[in-house]
Amino acid sequence: MLHFIGRRVVLMLLSLWVIATLTFVLMKSIPGDPFTSEKKYPPQTIANLKAQYGLDKSIPEQYVTYLKNLVTFDLGFSINNTSRTVNDMLSDGFPISAELGGYSVFLALCAGVLMGSVAALWQGRLPDYAMMILAVIGISVPSFVLAPFLQKYLGLEWRLLPLAGWGKPEQIILPASALALGQVALIARLMRSSMLDVVTQDYIRTARAKGLPPWRVVSRHTIRNAIIPVVTIMGPAIAAVLTGSFVIEKIFSIPGMGKYFVESITNRDYPVIMGTTIFYASFLILMNLIVDLMYGWIDPRIKVSGREGS
Amino acid sequence: MSKSLIKWLGICMALMLVLLTACTGNESSDAGKGNSNLAKEQVLNVGSMSSEPPGLDPLKAQDSASGLVLSQMMEGLATTDTEGKVLPGIAEKWEANEDSSEFTFHLRDAKWSNGDPVTAMDFEYAWKRMLDPKNAAIYAYQLYYLKNGEKYNQGKAKVDDVGVKAVDDKTLKVTLEKPTPYFPSLTAFYALLPVNKKVAEKDKNWAGEASTYVSNGAFKMKEWKHNSKIVLEKNDQYYKKKKVKITQINFPFVADSKTGYQQFESGELDEGNGNIVPSDLTKSLLDKKEAKADPNPASYGIDFNTKEKPFTNAKVRRAFALAIDRKSIVENVTQGGQEPADGWVPWGMPDFSSDKEWVKNHDQYLKPTAEPSKAKKLLKEGLKEEGLDNMPTVTFSYNTDDGHKKIAEALQQMWKKNLGVDVKLANMEWKVFLEKKKSGDYDFARTGWLPDYIDPMTFMDMYMTGSGQNDAKYSNKKFDKLIKKAKSSNDQDQRMKAMHQAEDIMMEDMPVAPLYWYTRVYMEKDYVKNVKRSIDGNVYYTEAYLTEH
């Protein structure tokens, strides 16, 4: 087990280095720089600015500084938000995105597993059709359509919930629901098909033949076996949701970190591009590691091991 | 098999429903009639900012969001009224020497929000700090008017050589490179605002947090919740504090215009600019008078690459310009109250040699509707002059944006219909677009220009030969000569005459085809009174107030 984790950590650092280097190369190869603007400033001003951010040095020199900054976790000030450091931006934004994402993942997981199970247990009957129609709607209605719709009715017409903002508990409900919907649909469909596979297995028949109460068969044997594919997709899904959604955070004026992913690139805000990319990459890799460890816990047949074939 | 499961599911669902409905904040708002009594709560909610202002240190401020907050918090030597007329600010009065190359400003007894007096030293410090090459300020060039300002910024002169000196606490002496009679009006701009020397020297990042921010204007910063909102409150140290009725201004950052609009409808916002007017609702809101549109002295147009065939030919460029139905574009495409442009200098720009505005003082260069037969004739002649039998394939570029896309598609159709030319469209990301235009790697492309200052010159000198702003790569010696003449003269009649002549030439050569002049759309509840909106786009809440509602 420890050996497995050790090996994964080494691999993780290696992938991070590759990602960091690729990001650097891509970042430098898009046309324009942080100071490209419609108004043309005097060349001296631009030269002063480049010197201030170390962009007057050669590309290899910049690459070395950049790696050094990464290792010391100090990416310096954002070029666009002049008074804020990248670390400030991420440490303020991430907890908010993560909170919103956490609620939405929880909601998606509960509702998705529930809907999928119901659909599978009543396969071919009304609940199945109802759930799957909901799932198709969930997959095909993008969150940026659903969100204004929720705002208009629940927020403006009926005045049940606040339209936007962050800080009060009731302000989480609309964005979390809008964010969860697509995931609910995905999980429900996955859960349904995997449940259908499991219910026809011999061990389920055995369990029933032994006289186990039906709810125990479902909860202990069916769901536990059927949830493996769901767990597989949850790793990347959690990483994606917890690091913020550009669209949902924009619509609901939530001060998360979702927008930095997009805006840092349009602004060519180099320190922020590096910060967000590396942060997201490490988080994603970590989530995948956790998922791999979870397999062993959910299904003891899956052995986590460092050495192949042993 | 599943009776108990159903029960379990039922409980779960019921719980979720309860959770969802339990947290409902019910706020009733009754829309009262317009009442002239002052409202008890003078708290204004403004939805004009879409995101965090990039920098509130005058050194770093360079955008409209920062400008909006600074306009409420800071005051320079002079201020301007809504028409751009200069009024005394922190400087009570000033005098110039004979040729307006030296100014002496006399400061009034004003205080910073922390109680420190505002001294001449704070101005000297702020301006020198702006010019310090190490600080790399974007707007340093706004201080190139000062003697040795440019040289110091380029590292070619010493800081003591810069022409600004605090004679004593209340007297600031300014020496300029050359006579500049309008210099006091420049001191209202945010690059020339003072900075509290004591505070800024102690903490380099003083402008980054509400707790360290010190201002000298009508309001001071109460809270800056990063990425979420800025809250200003009345500054009790302000010398005109009796005139300030608003006690608090909330600037929540509203990134999505539809959200902002709904917040305005629900009463969470009292006012806001175009940031809370969704583009697809603009027309109906303007028709219903819910939104208002002020002229904005800015122009939208098409840059032709005059170094790329067939747009090397003025007749071909004119043909493309004449084939455009401008009226139809503003009425059917942009729908925000814009005005079809008949010249490059936009509406709202003053003509300092007359009482009328600039655009009323010249011939109509372009008709609002298309002139197909004239356009076709010009195109034929132009192509012949260039030795071309057929119109080569040309591509119209624009930066990726729904609004620009709609305009480009309308233009494409007009050129097909009125000129018989098939034009390809290409869209690209903003900075890629800027790089391509700058390097001359395009046929023709959209352009938009907002004024740097309120004078027609800001729309003219950009098309001088070799200007960094001249993406059309246009070059005409006669035009250059007239602009230089206007620049070197201090006589307004002569300046304006030369610039009118220059615009005549420019509209004949058509390196840029004007399409329309912009508007500034905003929404404001009827109980919000006395907000000042100046022609250069600044909004001041200094003397605003709310009536009962």
Side-chain angles (χ1 to χ4, degrees), chain A residues 38-39 82 214 251 260 268, chain B residues 1 54 227 259 429 450 469:
Chain A
E38 200 168 24
K39 306 254 174 197
T82 50
I251 293 178
Y260 299 140
R268 309 285 192 276
Chain B
M1 86 178 229
N227 224 348
T259 306
E429 191 259 353
L450 280 73
Q469 224 70 251

Side-chain angles (χ1 to χ4, degrees), chain B residues 104-120:
Chain B
T104 312
F105 292 90
H106 302 280
L107 274 61
R108 68 174 79 236
D109 289 321
K111 279 184 177 164
W112 291 98
S113 52
N114 64 355
D116 291 350
V118 180
T119 66

Side-chain angles (χ1 to χ4, degrees), chain A residues 30-42 44-46 48-50 52-53 77 79-84 88-89 92-93 107 110-111 114-115 117-118 121-122 131 148-149 151-152 155-156 158-170 173 177 199 208 213-215 218-219 223 247 249-257 259-260 263 265-268, chain B residues 1-6 8-9 12-13 16 19-21 23-29 50-56 60 62 131-141 144 150 153-155 204-205 207-209 224-228 253-256 258-259 261-268 429-432 434-435 438 446-452 458 468-469 471:
Chain A
I30 26 178
D33 62 44
F35 313 114
T36 309
S37 90
E38 200 168 24
K39 306 254 174 197
K40 308 289 188 302
Y41 298 106
Q44 187 62 44
T45 305
I46 300 298
N48 290 346
L49 275 167
K50 286 195 169 166
Q52 194 181 34
Y53 289 100
F77 278 89
I79 297 178
N80 192 50
N81 283 358
T82 50
S83 64
R84 311 216 64 207
D88 279 349
M89 289 163 83
D92 282 359
L107 197 68
C110 291
L114 202 73
M115 281 171 64
S117 312
V118 169
L121 293 174
W122 278 272
M131 293 300 160
F149 189 76
Q151 275 182 326
K152 182 164 169 53
L156 190 62
W158 306 329
R159 309 228 168 197
L160 291 172
L161 291 165
L163 276 167
W166 188 254
K168 298 185 205 123
E170 65 265 29
I173 299 171
S177 317
V199 274
R208 259 190 255 158
W215 65 272
V218 172
S219 64
I223 292 191
V247 177
E249 288 180 3
K250 185 175 171 212
I251 293 178
F252 290 99
S253 312
I254 293 168
M257 63 179 287
K259 67 175 200 169
Y260 299 140
E263 285 176 6
I265 296 170
T266 50
N267 293 329
R268 309 285 192 276
Chain B
M1 86 178 229
S2 40
K3 253 189 201 154
S4 50
L5 183 73
I6 294 175
W8 194 70
L9 291 185
C12 266
M13 282 192 160
M16 270 165 74
L19 272 176
L20 275 171
T21 43
C23 321
T24 54
N26 231 334
E27 264 177 72
S28 62
S29 95
S50 66
S51 65
E52 182 108 340
L56 289 180
K60 300 282 182 185
Q62 45 169 302
L131 285 168
D132 188 342
K134 278 206 299 292
N135 289 332
I138 283 269
Y139 272 133
Y141 70 90
Y144 285 2
E150 186 170 3
N153 190 232
Q154 293 173 340
K204 230 184 140 204
N205 203 17
E209 302 295 335
W224 184 352
K225 211 168 161 197
H226 284 290
N227 224 348
S228 178
F253 308 146
V254 181
D256 189 82
K258 289 195 181 73
T259 306
Y261 171 66
Q262 293 187 346
Q263 286 180 304
F264 178 80
E265 289 290 295
S266 78
E268 279 173 52
E429 191 259 353
W430 177 233
K431 292 208 174 191
V432 178
L434 289 177
E435 289 283 316
K438 197 171 136 195
R446 77 153 277 271
T447 188
W449 193 247
L450 280 73
D452 284 329
T458 182
Q469 224 70 251
D471 288 340

